[in-house]
Amino acid sequence: MPKPESIPPLRPLLAEELEPLATGAWILGAGGGGDPYHAFLNLKRLYEQGTVITLMQPEALADDALVAPVSTMGAPLVGEERLKDPEVAALAVTQMEEYLGRSFDAVMSLEIGGSNAFQPLMVAAVTGLPVLDADTMGRAYPEAQHSSFAIGDLKPYPLTLADIRENAVVVARVASWKWMERISRKVCTEVGSVAATCKAPRSGREVKEWGVLHTVTQAIELGRAVLDARTAKLDPVQAVVDHAGGRRLFTGKVTDVNRRATEGFLRGTARVAGLDDDRDSELLVDFQNEFTVAWIDDEVAATVPDIICVLDSTTGEAIGTEALRYGQRVSIIALPAPEVQTTPKGLQHVGPRAFGYDLDFRSLFTDGS
Amino acid sequence: MRRIGVDVGGTNTDAVLVEDDGVLESVKTPTTDDVTTGVAESLRRLVERLGGEVPDLDAVMIGTTHFTNAVVQRRDLAPVAAVRVALPSGRSLPPFVDWPDDLRNLVAGRVYMIRGGHEYDGRPLDTFDAEAVRAAARELCETDIRSVAISAAFSPLVPECEEQAADILREEIPDVRLTLSHELGRIGLLERENAALLNAALIPLADLTTRAFTEAVEQSGIDAPLYLTQNDGTVLRAEQAKAYPVYSFSSGPTNSMRGAAFLSGLDDAMVVDVGGTTTDIGHLKSGFPREANRTVEVGGVRTLFRMPDLLSLGLGGGSIVDVDGRTVGPRSVGHRLTQEGMVFGGSALTATDLAVAAGFAEIGDAGRVTSLTSDVVAWFDRTRCAVVEEGVDRMKATADPLPLLAVGGGAFLVPDHLPGISEVLHVPHGEVANAVGAAIAQVSGEVDQVFSGMSREAAITEAEVIARRRAADGGADPDTVGVVEIEDLPLAYLPGDARRVRVRVVGDAASDRDTASNLKH
């Protein structure tokens, strides 16, 4: 994605940027990450009550600054009944400060895709910390070992996890990122399959070296491109592709969605019959919470880590893997993966083989585009 | 089977008598402000057409847009108290959050957030705070608010907290009117709660309207159980339906699609219903409109109703045509068409006038539109074709060619040939398809909840048992109930093979009138 130029190191995030952020983040969710609606609603209310959040550029971070990477972990469906609460989001962070005996200088999102784009904003609204213009995925992925900090082999612990009942858990030490995922997932299940977390704290230097930078701004601008296109009655899907330097893979109608739950994930395949220029073709797209691999007429068309998105052909709105259904008119697009994920080490974590496919990653975007 | 179907629309009240597989008689009368008079008049004229003899009937089925209009027009709404049992979760997003200000000001009475509710797996979220509910009830008793909506976390799965809160409210406020969110459906606390709040606000109006319908039927001398039609093309007995006015929100377009299916004998088709102001386009599958899966907004409020997936376009028989600006609609002369349209002697140029000039409609006096140039007529012809074609293409959920049913008073605006359409069919009585749809409506039962700790097959079987019981409670003849929809969704990250299962069953309304009256409480 194009790097935003000349952004001030610290600036207030404006109320009118919240909706574009929700729209853009939901697209970057690649089918997962959860609908940002409730988190967006929280922020909208907080802004109505006078809250203003500071957005901080990662370049402005001191090397020895301390940053809190945050997320809500759990099942999106549980979030439909147990609504997001900024106080709980902040509790995970204050718990970590207590454990470390040190205060944070900024907060950042684990994943910009889906509702976790708003997690640091909710924390910031309560704590007053600035929100860093960065995340660790540039999209959404299901598990902790998919973050760029895991790709960088940074220390995976400690982690704090906060529950609505003021239960808080510190995971002090784990053997690996995968163990962190296993242990924290277990605790999360016990408190009702949704919890606020603060991941292993990071230094400013670590964030600048391993974070996926400027993704809050990118998500806002992506969302704004969609909303502007809708207002101007232009094709919002094309607006996404043009804005993000992506590629339109296929246009059609969903003809079948086959879902199954294995190892705690929503896995499955959607089948899309071609329309317009794609008439007489068929696209298959697999998902493991997020979209992983797409085939057109049995040829691989795109794989992780490239960001595969299914958008409503008319509105350009992202469609989550749980909401896909027969008859929807959709456009399937691919957006370029963050660079850190396309290195050999990155591909070990988030390449096709990391998701169980015997496929090599072939980027759609390396040939000069 | 012999039934009367009535559709109370914004402009017309239509009534039909349907027997087994055919329409015996139909009438169209103007809708009146008090509703009763219009319905009574349409029934009176229907009976008159039948030779004055009141027929022996199995049921009278009424469909109305009355409740949606009340919300959209912000009238006849009662103030509501919200009781939500979900603390310590959800504190930052209280009931009425994200409602349009004017509607919130009108409806939002008091808000009480109470400890309790459940988790997805049925464990309590927190200990239910009965004392807090009692304190809220005593406070409410001192106000003039009597409509209360109760919601609780995961109540579609475990309704216990909503039921306990309801018991306490009834003890403390004898004349309280309650809406429990779990009875309105699905997972999604805010949307389900919104539905409950709107429902609670509409209950007094629903009471009045149902009484008006009952009186109109009695005045006409008809002795048959009265049903109200629902958003999904099915009916509930009036006694039960009056507690759930939100279920009737979108029944008009649904009825016209179901009616079109019945009149044509087709189960799988596109339906285009052209009225005076709008054209509604939907896809009929297995005799029912395809449902919208996403959140549906009513009057600016997000809900999760069972609504047909419809595209509504601003093209109708009364659409005003601006020749200079080259626009058709969305403004319409509506029910004044027969006075203001040019072919009727008026001065407004409408879609109907141009249809007459172009020769695809024969209504009124064609001599009054001879001054329209062939250029204008050709432009209009292209425009209405393009509008309908695009709408049909957007709503059609299969690439295979399908037949198209053109119904409603303005059906002549539908072109004879469209891409992706095998044939365009106009059916007898198509102009009252919505009343026909009401007459043939069935009774449904639905379940949408999370099952865990059992196999997929066991979960689906259990869901079907619950859905069948709900259909029977709603007045279905159990022998005719069949499954129309099964959808299951394994839940990401949840242990215990948790899955969300949605099952919908439908059956014929029980025709035995003794059974029907016994079931009334």
Side-chain angles (χ1 to χ4, degrees):
Chain A
M1 279 190 215
K3 276 214 173 121
E5 283 162 26
S6 65
I7 307 172
L10 287 168
R11 70 170 184 91
L13 189 75
L14 306 176
E16 55 266 30
E17 292 176 291
L18 297 173
E19 193 188 353
L21 176 59
T23 306
W26 194 206
I27 291 171
L28 293 173
D35 187 337
Y37 174 64
H38 291 149
F40 160 68
L41 211 51
N42 267 301
L43 261 296
K44 201 172 123 187
R45 280 172 62 79
L46 289 163
Y47 265 73
E48 281 163 9
Q49 292 157 14
T51 298
V52 179
I53 285 159
T54 302
L55 185 66
M56 183 184 199
Q57 290 311 304
E59 293 79 4
L61 262 185
D63 280 353
D64 62 350
L66 192 66
V67 178
V70 296
S71 78
T72 289
M73 91 187 272
L77 180 104
V78 173
E80 287 181 44
E81 291 286 317
R82 282 179 47 175
L83 313 176
K84 281 212 164 56
D85 188 334
E87 295 289 342
V88 180
L91 186 63
V93 173
T94 50
Q95 188 64 47
M96 182 64 87
E97 287 182 327
E98 206 173 290
Y99 176 73
L100 297 174
R102 203 184 147 186
S103 297
F104 283 109
D105 301 299
V107 60
M108 69 183 282
S109 176
L110 176 77
E111 56 179 357
I112 193 70
S115 68
N116 272 329
F118 283 86
Q119 190 78 3
L121 276 62
M122 293 200 294
V123 174
V126 176
T127 60
L129 288 170
V131 170
L132 212 57
D133 191 355
D135 76 316
T136 80
M137 294 181 177
R139 48 171 294 165
Y141 277 123
E143 296 187 306
Q145 65 269 20
H146 301 134
S147 83
S148 58
F149 295 155
I151 294 171
D153 284 331
L154 305 185
K155 200 176 73 170
Y157 59 87
L159 170 143
T160 54
L161 184 149
D163 170 40
I164 44 168
R165 281 148 295 217
E166 297 183 36
N167 297 310
V169 171
V170 180
V171 181
R173 193 177 179 89
V174 287
S176 66
W177 283 93
K178 285 195 177 176
W179 270 108
M180 176 55 87
E181 179 63 33
R182 280 175 73 172
I183 291 169
S184 56
R185 187 68 65 188
K186 199 83 182 170
V187 178
C188 176
T189 304
E190 194 51 36
V191 297
S193 282
V194 65
T197 64
C198 176
K199 311 290 183 195
R202 300 272 80 108
S203 72
R205 193 183 52 75
E206 285 176 321
V207 172
K208 286 181 277 186
E209 190 177 358
W210 288 104
V212 182
L213 307 183
H214 312 284
T215 46
V216 176
T217 301
Q218 284 165 8
I220 292 170
E221 291 184 348
L222 181 63
R224 195 178 283 136
V226 175
L227 298 172
D228 286 351
R230 266 186 230 162
T231 310
K233 306 274 178 218
L234 299 172
D235 177 1
V237 175
Q238 195 58 42
V240 173
V241 170
D242 291 347
H243 180 83
R247 190 175 293 179
R248 192 192 284 256
L249 300 178
F250 200 77
T251 305
K253 282 176 187 172
V254 179
T255 53
D256 186 44
V257 185
N258 174 18
R259 296 184 177 91
R260 57 196 186 278
T262 49
E263 299 157 41
F265 291 108
L266 183 67
R267 292 168 193 252
T269 307
R271 221 170 250 281
V272 184
L275 286 173
D276 307 332
D277 292 346
D278 296 311
R279 205 170 279 276
D280 305 323
S281 279
E282 187 181 53
L283 173 136
L284 258 65
V285 60
D286 269 10
F287 48 88
Q288 298 182 25
N289 291 358
E290 286 80 24
F291 297 109
T292 47
V293 179
W295 296 263
I296 297 174
D297 298 332
D298 300 330
E299 293 279 319
V300 174
T303 73
V304 278
D306 280 346
I307 307 168
I308 302 168
C309 314
V310 176
L311 307 181
D312 181 306
S313 290
T314 311
T315 64
E317 196 169 333
I319 300 174
T321 51
E322 289 187 307
L324 268 180
R325 67 174 166 86
Y326 173 87
Q328 281 166 333
R329 290 182 143 242
V330 296
S331 296
I332 294 87
I333 64 166
L335 307 180
E339 279 168 37
V340 64
Q341 295 170 5
T342 60
T343 61
K345 180 66 164 69
L347 291 172
Q348 280 177 28
H349 288 256
V350 294
R353 288 177 211 284
F355 291 87
Y357 296 94
D358 189 19
L359 291 172
D360 291 321
F361 170 65
R362 294 237 299 274
S363 172
L364 292 168
F365 304 101
T366 44
D367 46 13
S369 58
Chain B
M1 180 201 85
R2 191 193 280 157
R3 297 162 173 181
I4 286 179
V6 181
D7 179 83
V8 187
T11 312
N12 287 310
T13 296
D14 302 337
V16 297
L17 177 68
V18 172
E19 187 169 86
D20 296 328
D21 49 6
V23 176
L24 293 188
E25 198 54 78
S26 69
V27 295
K28 224 180 222 311
T29 58
T31 296
T32 56
D33 285 338
D34 69 337
V35 180
T36 315
T37 316
V39 173
E41 175 65 10
S42 72
L43 291 174
R44 192 191 61 74
R45 284 184 47 193
L46 189 68
V47 170
E48 195 178 273
R49 292 259 191 112
L50 294 164
E53 193 85 350
V54 176
D56 200 19
L57 289 172
D58 291 311
V60 176
M61 315 264 206
I62 300 186
T64 180
T65 52
H66 217 54
F67 306 128
T68 327
N69 292 346
V71 174
V72 172
Q73 296 165 11
R74 316 289 200 234
R75 57 173 172 79
D76 301 326
L77 299 171
V80 173
V83 174
R84 182 204 282 171
V85 189
L87 287 183
S89 96
R91 203 186 301 269
S92 63
L93 297 176
F96 297 107
V97 69
D98 212 19
W99 277 43
D101 289 341
D102 59 344
L103 193 60
R104 188 195 298 118
N105 292 340
L106 210 57
V107 175
R110 298 281 171 105
V111 170
Y112 300 98
M113 305 235 267
I114 310 282
R115 279 190 177 267
H118 284 84
E119 303 273 21
Y120 73 91
D121 56 3
R123 287 180 294 162
L125 189 69
D126 202 343
T127 312
F128 173 61
D129 190 349
E131 282 320 299
V133 178
R134 198 168 297 279
R138 289 188 177 153
E139 192 182 299
L140 274 179
C141 217
E142 305 302 313
T143 71
D144 53 7
I145 299 169
R146 286 296 174 269
S147 287
V148 181
I150 307 172
S151 56
F154 280 106
S155 65
L157 189 63
V158 188
E160 195 179 294
C161 285
E162 290 188 1
E163 283 162 356
Q164 287 174 348
D167 288 344
I168 295 169
L169 283 155
R170 280 195 206 99
E171 277 167 34
E172 297 290 336
I173 319 171
D175 56 341
V176 73
R177 315 286 304 270
L178 299 174
T179 299
L180 276 58
S181 85
H182 76 271
E183 294 178 349
L184 296 174
R186 305 187 183 177
I187 302 284
L189 176 66
L190 276 190
E191 291 79 8
R192 186 176 70 249
E193 179 178 83
N194 283 343
L197 292 166
L198 285 175
N199 196 73
L202 284 165
I203 279 189
L205 176 66
D207 248 2
L208 280 174
T209 310
T210 311
R211 199 174 310 144
F213 288 157
T214 310
E215 279 168 13
V217 172
E218 278 168 6
Q219 277 173 28
S220 63
I222 292 167
D223 174 29
L226 176 63
Y227 291 81
L228 296 189
T229 68
Q230 313 285 293
N231 301 328
D232 63 354
T234 61
V235 284
L236 273 182
R237 192 161 284 131
E239 283 303 302
Q240 197 185 356
K242 73 177 184 186
Y244 305 109
V246 289
Y247 274 170
S248 310
F249 267 170
S250 192
S251 64
T254 304
N255 287 342
S256 76
M257 289 183 65
R258 296 260 304 134
F262 176 80
L263 292 169
S264 65
L266 295 175
D267 271 354
D268 207 355
M270 298 303 296
V271 177
V272 180
D273 182 3
V274 190
T277 306
T278 59
T279 293
D280 291 326
I281 302 174
H283 186 163
L284 194 66
K285 279 198 71 72
S286 314
F288 281 84
R290 198 183 67 207
E291 270 182 50
N293 220 13
R294 299 170 45 187
T295 53
V296 179
E297 285 199 3
V298 180
V301 179
R302 273 167 74 107
T303 62
L304 279 173
F305 292 125
R306 299 168 296 178
M307 294 275 213
D309 196 5
L310 280 182
L311 178 67
S312 203
L313 305 171
L315 172 70
S319 291
I320 295 172
V321 179
D322 176 359
V323 172
D324 299 330
R326 287 285 198 260
T327 58
V328 180
R331 285 176 53 232
S332 166
V333 296
H335 66 272
R336 300 185 309 275
L337 176 64
T338 49
Q339 291 103 58
E340 296 185 6
M342 288 180 66
V343 291
F344 300 106
S347 57
L349 182 62
T350 66
T352 298
D353 301 313
L354 276 146
V356 171
F360 48 82
E362 289 175 23
I363 312 167
D365 179 2
R368 303 186 65 94
V369 289
T370 47
S371 61
L372 293 167
T373 66
S374 58
D375 263 11
V376 167
V377 172
W379 158 77
F380 173 78
D381 192 17
R382 282 196 307 274
T383 306
R384 57 114 198 187
C385 286
V387 168
V388 177
E389 273 171 20
E390 201 205 315
V392 169
D393 190 46
R394 270 176 62 184
M395 294 308 291
K396 193 159 160 274
T398 164
D400 299 331
L402 281 178
L404 182 151
L405 297 164
V407 297
F412 52 80
L413 288 172
V414 178
D416 291 333
H417 302 282
L418 289 95
I421 294 298
S422 54
E423 56 180 332
V424 173
L425 298 164
H426 294 262
V427 287
H429 304 289
E431 69 287 354
V432 290
N434 42 19
V436 174
I440 59 153
Q442 292 178 296
V443 178
S444 80
E446 187 181 297
V447 65
D448 179 9
Q449 68 184 48
V450 178
F451 294 85
S452 58
M454 60 175 84
S455 70
R456 177 170 184 264
E457 290 68 30
I460 290 173
T461 305
E462 171 138 1
E464 193 184 320
V465 168
I466 299 171
R468 283 178 180 274
R469 192 170 62 227
R470 289 185 180 167
D473 288 349
D477 174 356
D479 294 340
T480 64
V481 172
V483 176
V484 289
E485 222 176 304
I486 294 181
E487 188 180 57
D488 74 301
L489 184 64
L491 300 173
Y493 302 121
L494 296 185
D497 202 16
R499 59 186 62 243
R500 177 176 177 169
V501 182
R502 191 174 147 219
V503 171
R504 206 159 75 89
V505 301
V506 297
D508 293 334
S511 62
D512 180 345
R513 261 167 284 154
D514 295 334
T515 312
S517 49
N518 285 343
L519 281 170
K520 284 186 195 174
H521 308 295

